[in-house]
Amino acid sequence: MRINRALRLGIGAIALTVVAATATACGGGDSKSALDHAKDGKLTIGIKFDQPGIGLRNKDGSYSGFDVEVAKYVAGKLGVKPEGITFKESPSAQRETLIENGQVDYVVASYSINDARKQKVDFAGPYYVAGQSFLVRADNTDIGSPESLKGKKVCSVKGSTPAQNIDKNFKDTQLQANDTYSLCLEGLRAGSWDAVTTDDIILAGYAAQSTGAFKVVGKPFTTENYGIGLKKGDKELRDKVNDAIEAMFADGSWKKAFDASVGGSGYQAPTPPKVDRY
């Protein structure tokens, strides 16, 4: 009996160990801060995988886009070489969770700064100012402004600022919220909806990728300050990332990154914004 009881206790202890190990693995984070990881020469950075010109995972497994270049520049200023970076896909609706759980050290993913998000995470930046617009099929002639959306089917991404804006302010519009912009594009191409809406810089990348299929219409009707999402309360990290952003503006690397990525769609680099050290 004593042997059986000891055996059962031993099995129970093993099971608890396995459960604990599994939980740790699933969580993806650890107790180290982003700056601790940087000292080890490694960073996990959240980006988009499906935004041409902004954040794209290419067919060969490499990554390209303006946000990717910003992420790499900041990492370099924190002492991490490109080979020490692991990029993790960060869909719009998951960005805060990934930061809060420590699954990423920071997020550079067309991430608009707003008060609701600042309740959960901190931001460095902004490093770019975008504005919401529309992408339509090339032969479309009846959409050119927010007012022309009445009765139209419009696609955006769950949890994104553009989706929230359409849902709140354009009640006569039929909003379709998908997990990714690539799904929105597939539906637009197939005629499932009339337009895709998000920031103009993102839409320009999609238009450039599908030459002749789509076009960006309408003047931007919002102001979206793109920031780098960080763990809330990590002031030291935020200060260092802000320093890196300002250095990128000053040494010409910011414009060079813009021209090499988004510039391919015909967009001209604007004047860099002023970093908000709140």
Side-chain angles (χ1 to χ4, degrees), residues 70-179:
V70 172
K72 288 162 60 177
Y73 185 95
V74 171
K77 288 296 185 181
L78 296 177
V80 178
K81 297 179 180 178
E83 56 268 27
I85 299 172
T86 298
F87 286 115
K88 184 175 181 64
E89 186 172 18
S90 300
S92 294
Q94 297 177 22
R95 290 174 297 199
E96 287 88 43
T97 301
L98 291 170
I99 295 169
E100 289 176 316
N101 290 347
Q103 293 172 269
V104 295
D105 292 301
Y106 56 85
V107 168
V108 191
S110 54
Y111 201 1
S112 296
I113 302 169
N114 62 39
D115 289 339
R117 289 170 178 164
K118 284 163 67 173
Q119 298 298 312
K120 297 181 178 180
V121 301
D122 280 342
F123 286 97
Y127 64 90
Y128 186 79
V129 179
Q132 187 172 351
S133 194
F134 304 104
L135 187 74
V136 298
R137 291 181 292 279
D139 59 356
N140 184 286
T141 58
D142 59 354
I143 296 177
S145 67
E147 292 73 28
S148 63
L149 292 179
K150 186 175 181 179
K152 304 295 186 183
K153 296 179 180 178
V154 179
C155 186
S156 195
V157 165
K158 295 175 183 177
S160 68
T161 302
Q164 293 167 6
N165 187 32
I166 294 295
D167 186 53
K168 179 181 179 181
N169 298 314
F170 300 93
K171 299 296 185 182
D172 293 329
T173 300
Q174 299 178 51
L175 175 65
Q176 170 66 43
N178 276 324
D179 290 328

